[in-house]
């Protein structure tokens, strides 16, 4: 019992923090920065406990006497929780300036954000489909509100409108899929579905497969894979910067946590039926995402569209898992971490500029001569773009390398070739920004580097990206980027069947 | 004799009505109604399967789904009020400006 209380501590802390902030948001005298710091404090304590749990936990169920086997605690769920928490902390701290520069933020924003993180953490722990549905909805419903948080802006409201209609429609498919699975199996536990599929190999399981396909539709929608990707660009452009950042990084990781668990445990017996679909979806996501990204004129839109392409790479690795690659699953986790760092930094710079200057940096043309105006920011932005494009000596390169390696390992040379081709195409829209920043004269005089918590963190993230790319093995006794891969594969081993 | 499959067929028909509603309707309020119909279709399926297996958990889940549906509509209605105050209409064709 005490052990369970210890395991549930991070979740409970986030939940208590959310309630606390919700009550205190009524107090008008508190400054916005203090709300932010209280939120970060709750998240940090939770993160520290998660880090300790990660060392000790193997495979456990949370309060087994009360919840039966609904909540699982293993290294995989703990690793994902660490990612959500650090993503949220970085998002909040990097946007510290942005919150102060806009008048529509208040304490409730932080409470909602904490509820969303609570939903994501539950999602990583879930071992049961209804719990999965409730946590997906908890994470999404709060995000619907956050997307429309700037109620002065028609764009923000429209983004919320599109997200809420399409998101709830997609959510319904998940619940119908669960109903069908429950009708066939008589249970909604992931392990039970697996053993049903193993024991009934000769009987008719078409209804079960249809149900699982419905569930896949929802998950593919939420990560923004083709053909359900049309909402991504509009919603990302319309929502405020902190929310865009949060959606692009943390929400994507959260959905992948349940997708990986479902794919590795439940879908294993029916791989022959669904692999072709995954392959087609991956190829379509890569191609359509690239087309969208090339067409964008706004920087935020380009980052949104390129996030679709990055999902495509990860779906390629998901296909490789099914064909039998040994390290594709850990490659996905590694790629998630590398994408998370790069996107966080790129969105962070945009949000800092939006808070620091009168002129809004929105389109590519606004960045002409940026390197002469703010050399350090431009250097950091270059690192993020290089990492997103997968240039060697950044962590993004290693991420792409592992993904392509896992695909090549399964013998799908053509698919890996397509991935590399798409990576070459992506150089066009990432390097366009670098060229604009460096090869044009600047209309404004050079500015000093502003020392603030946001800018220092952005530089820190940039250094982490470079360290992840080249620091590996240079510093003895410190785990490099390869260490992350080992951690990921260790975490995947504890997943139970 | 009414069997499990009958209930599932009813649930399927309701679900299809909901899908058609989401695709065809232009009014925002009607869209939320349509999603509500779809969620209730899933509820029928859950309750029917639950009584078929004699397993109470299905009915419990139906209650959870009702709660989730209610909170989703609560957020949706909040958005609806903001949009109506600002634009004076709830027609989707007038509301959508961005083309991404």
């Amino acid at each position: 019992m005490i052990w369970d209380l210890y395991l549930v501590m991070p979740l409970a802390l986030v939940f208590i923090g959310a309630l606390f902030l919700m009550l205190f948001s009524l107090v008008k005298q508190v400054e916005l920065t203090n709300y932010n710091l209280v939120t970060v404090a709750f998240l940090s304590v939770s993160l520290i406990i998660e880090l300790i749990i990660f060392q000790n936990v193997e495979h456990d169920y949370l309060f087994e006497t009360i919840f039966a086997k609904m909540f699982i605690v293993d290294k995989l769920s703990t690793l994902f929780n660490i990612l959500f928490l650090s993503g949220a902390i970085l998002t909040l701290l990097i946007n510290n300036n942005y919150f102060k520069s806009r008048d529509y933020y208040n304490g409730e924003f932080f409470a909602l954000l904490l509820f969303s993180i609570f939903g994501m953490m539950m999602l990583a722990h879930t071992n049961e489909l209804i719990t999965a549905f409730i946590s997906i909805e908890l994470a999404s419903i709060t995000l619907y509100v956050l997307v429309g948080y700037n109620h002065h802006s028609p764009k923000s409201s429209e983004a919320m409108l599109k997200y809420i209609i399409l998101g709830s429609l997609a959510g319904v498919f998940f619940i119908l899929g669960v109903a069908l699975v429950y009708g066939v199996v008589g249970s909604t536990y992931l392990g039970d579905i697996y053993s049903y599929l193993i024991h009934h190999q000769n009987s008719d399981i078409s209804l079960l497969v249809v149900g699982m396909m419905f569930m896949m539709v929802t998950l593919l929608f939420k990560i923004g894979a083709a053909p359900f990707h049309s909402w991504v660009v509009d919603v990302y452009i319309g929502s405020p910067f902190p929310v865009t950042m949060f959606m692009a990084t943390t929400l994507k990781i959260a959905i992948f946590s349940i997708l990986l668990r479902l794919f590795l445990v439940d879908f294993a017996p029916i791989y022959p039926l669904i692999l072709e679909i995954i392959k087609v979806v991956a190829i379509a996501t890569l191609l359509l995402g690239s087309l969208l990204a090339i067409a964008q004129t706004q920087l935020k839109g380009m980052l949104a569209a390129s996030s679709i392409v990055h999902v495509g790479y990860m779906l390629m690795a998901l296909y490789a898992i099914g064909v039998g690659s040994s390290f594709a699953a850990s490659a996905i986790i590694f790629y998630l971490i590398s994408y998370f760092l790069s996107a966080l930094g790129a969105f962070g710079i945009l949000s800092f500029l939006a808070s620091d200057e009168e002129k809004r940096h929105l389109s590519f043309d606004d960045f002409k001569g940026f390197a002469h105006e703010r050399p350090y920011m431009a250097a950091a932005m270059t690192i993020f773009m290089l990492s997103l494009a997968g240039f060697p000596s950044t962590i993004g390169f290693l991420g792409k390398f592992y993904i392509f390696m896992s695909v090549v390992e399964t013998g799908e040379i053509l698919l890996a070739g397509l991935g590399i081709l798409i990576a070459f195409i992506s150089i066009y829209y990432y390097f366009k920004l670098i060229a604009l920043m460096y090869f044009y004269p600047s209309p404004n005089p050079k500015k000093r580097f502003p020392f603030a918590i946001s800018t220092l963190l952005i530089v820190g993230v940039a250094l982490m990206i470079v360290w992840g790319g080249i620091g590996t093995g240079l510093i003895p006794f410190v785990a490099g980027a390869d260490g992350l891969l080992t951690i990921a594969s260790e975490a995947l081993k504890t997943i139970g069947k | 004799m009414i069997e499990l499959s009958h209930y599932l067929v009813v649930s399927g028909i309701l679900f299809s009505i909901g899908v058609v509603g989401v695709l065809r309707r232009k009014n925002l309020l009607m869209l939320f109604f349509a999603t509500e119909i779809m969620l209730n279709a899933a509820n029928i399926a859950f309750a029917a399967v639950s009584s078929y297996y004699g397993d109470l958990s299905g009915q419990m889940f139906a209650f959870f789904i009702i709660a989730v549906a209610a909170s989703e509509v609560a957020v949706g209605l909040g958005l609806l009020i903001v949009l109506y105050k600002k634009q004076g209409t709830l027609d989707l064709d007038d509301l959508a400006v961005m083309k991404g």
Side-chain angles (χ1 to χ4, degrees):
Chain A
M1 195 68 182
I2 296 296
W3 174 245
D4 283 329
L5 278 175
Y6 166 62
L7 288 181
V8 86
M9 267 290 262
L11 268 167
L13 264 174
V14 172
F15 188 67
I16 292 168
L19 290 180
F20 178 80
L21 279 163
M22 200 166 75
L23 292 176
F24 266 77
S25 61
L26 295 172
V27 185
K28 294 275 182 258
Q29 287 88 341
V30 187
E31 265 186 61
L32 204 63
T33 318
N34 294 342
Y35 283 125
N36 197 351
L37 289 180
V38 170
T39 318
V40 171
F42 272 109
L43 291 172
S44 312
V45 176
S46 179
L47 176 65
I48 291 167
I49 300 173
E50 277 301 357
L51 284 172
I52 301 169
I53 290 177
F54 187 75
Q55 313 287 336
N56 302 323
V57 80
E58 271 303 317
H59 185 87
D60 234 316
Y61 295 103
L62 219 52
F63 293 111
E64 207 175 333
T65 45
I66 305 171
F67 291 129
K69 289 179 176 170
M70 277 184 181
F71 292 102
I72 197 169
V73 184
D74 53 15
K75 275 196 160 56
L76 188 72
S77 68
T78 318
L79 178 68
F80 274 115
N81 279 351
I82 291 171
L83 290 177
F84 305 150
L85 290 169
S86 38
I89 291 172
L90 283 173
T91 308
L92 285 171
L93 287 180
I94 288 182
N95 284 301
N96 193 25
N97 279 28
Y98 189 79
F99 291 137
K100 278 188 279 186
S101 70
R102 299 291 186 272
D103 60 346
Y104 49 85
Y105 289 107
N106 48 23
E108 281 153 11
F109 180 87
F110 301 99
L112 283 169
L113 198 84
L114 278 181
F115 275 122
S116 183
I117 296 163
F118 176 69
M120 289 172 189
M121 288 171 77
M122 250 171 78
L123 189 60
H125 282 302
T126 186
N127 189 33
E128 199 259 318
L129 293 173
I130 296 294
T131 324
F133 174 72
I134 291 170
S135 20
I136 289 180
E137 288 299 309
L138 184 56
S140 324
I141 289 177
T142 41
L143 265 176
Y144 299 150
V145 183
L146 292 178
V147 164
Y149 214 75
N150 182 1
H151 51 86
H152 308 308
S153 142
K155 259 190 181 176
S156 185
S157 302
E158 192 190 330
M160 180 180 173
L161 164 79
K162 282 182 177 160
Y163 194 32
I164 195 170
I165 290 174
L166 295 173
S168 52
L169 181 66
V172 173
F173 275 97
F174 191 88
I175 203 66
L176 187 76
V178 176
L180 293 180
V181 170
Y182 178 58
V184 176
V185 180
S187 158
T188 48
Y189 289 95
L190 300 192
D192 290 350
I193 299 166
Y194 174 75
S195 50
Y196 181 91
L197 279 167
I198 291 293
H199 292 127
H200 296 76
Q201 273 175 343
N202 296 322
S203 48
D204 183 21
I205 52 162
S206 47
L207 199 61
L208 186 57
V209 174
V210 170
M212 285 174 147
M213 281 297 107
F214 276 147
M215 275 150 54
M216 278 299 273
V217 166
T218 305
L219 297 176
L220 289 177
F221 171 87
K222 296 272 178 194
I223 54 174
F228 317 107
H229 64 288
S230 49
W231 61 278
V232 174
V233 174
D234 277 357
V235 172
Y236 279 27
I237 289 181
S239 42
F241 274 111
V243 182
T244 316
M245 213 158 140
F246 189 66
M247 275 169 70
T249 55
T250 318
L251 181 70
K252 209 153 267 184
I253 302 178
I255 303 297
F256 261 100
S257 76
I258 183 71
L259 189 59
L260 270 180
R261 205 179 274 281
L262 274 176
F263 205 78
L264 288 170
V265 179
D266 281 352
F267 286 39
I270 54 163
Y271 278 154
L273 295 171
I274 58 168
L275 274 182
E276 285 302 309
I277 301 176
I278 297 281
K279 190 178 181 182
V280 172
V281 167
I283 293 173
T285 309
L286 286 170
L287 291 174
L288 294 174
S290 298
L291 280 178
L292 257 180
I294 290 171
Q296 296 300 319
T297 52
Q298 284 192 25
L299 204 55
K300 214 175 173 185
M302 185 275 276
L303 285 173
S306 83
S307 85
I308 302 173
V309 183
H310 289 284
V311 166
Y313 294 126
M314 286 184 266
L315 287 175
M316 259 167 63
L318 204 65
Y319 171 74
I321 294 176
V323 188
S325 164
S326 52
F327 66 97
S330 16
I332 290 183
I333 295 179
F334 187 88
Y335 198 87
L336 279 171
I337 297 173
S338 77
Y339 172 70
F340 151 76
L341 284 174
S342 325
L344 201 77
F347 279 119
I349 289 186
L350 290 183
S351 108
F352 176 76
L353 291 175
S355 70
D356 200 43
E357 290 176 9
E358 287 298 308
K359 194 183 77 174
R360 300 281 298 277
H361 281 75
L362 285 178
S363 67
F364 276 100
D365 287 339
D366 294 336
F367 274 85
K368 273 186 183 171
F370 185 66
H372 307 291
E373 193 184 329
R374 292 172 177 275
Y376 298 107
M377 284 290 198
M381 193 64 162
T382 310
I383 291 175
F384 298 137
M385 287 298 129
L386 290 178
S387 176
L388 283 171
F391 203 74
S393 82
T394 57
I395 197 167
F397 169 72
L398 282 183
K400 282 209 175 55
F401 176 74
Y402 290 137
I403 293 258
F404 294 148
M405 274 292 287
S406 66
V407 178
V408 169
E409 188 196 4
T410 61
E412 294 281 339
I413 305 293
L414 274 178
L415 190 63
L418 180 80
I420 292 169
L421 183 75
I422 295 290
F424 276 121
I425 293 174
S426 76
I427 285 180
Y428 164 73
Y429 46 84
Y430 292 129
F431 279 43
K432 192 162 95 180
L433 180 68
I434 300 178
L436 280 174
M437 287 194 303
Y438 281 94
F439 299 144
Y440 281 89
S442 165
N444 301 320
K446 191 176 167 183
K447 288 191 179 132
R448 284 186 60 229
F449 180 75
F451 281 98
I453 192 158
S454 320
T455 47
L456 291 177
L457 268 176
I458 289 170
V459 173
V461 171
L463 290 178
M464 261 158 86
I465 287 172
V466 177
W467 166 77
I470 58 170
T472 318
L474 286 182
I475 317 162
F477 308 120
V478 179
D482 287 342
L484 286 176
L485 203 67
T486 326
I487 289 171
S489 62
E490 228 176 75
L492 283 163
K493 266 180 216 145
T494 61
I495 193 169
K497 283 200 172 162
Chain B
M1 181 63 197
I2 297 175
E3 288 165 15
L4 175 65
S5 54
H6 294 93
Y7 285 107
L8 289 183
V9 167
V10 169
S11 154
I13 292 171
L14 262 183
F15 194 83
S16 322
I17 291 173
V19 172
V20 172
V22 171
L23 294 178
R24 297 286 299 166
R25 287 290 185 157
K26 291 286 177 197
N27 191 303
L28 196 51
L29 200 57
M30 290 302 159
L31 283 183
F32 287 125
F33 280 149
T35 21
E36 208 65 1
I37 291 174
M38 290 161 80
L39 278 168
N40 283 329
N43 273 345
I44 291 175
F46 265 112
V49 172
S50 154
S51 95
Y52 176 75
Y53 281 115
D55 174 25
L56 273 182
S57 55
Q59 296 180 30
M60 200 177 78
F61 298 149
F63 281 113
F64 273 110
I65 295 167
I66 292 171
V68 167
S71 47
E72 214 165 52
V73 166
V75 171
L77 289 181
L79 165 79
L80 207 131
I81 290 171
V82 168
L83 282 175
Y84 190 74
K85 267 185 189 166
K86 214 178 293 172
Q87 320 261 3
T89 172
L90 289 178
D91 196 272
L92 278 185
D93 294 330
D94 301 334
L95 288 174
V97 182
M98 287 194 282
K99 294 197 170 57

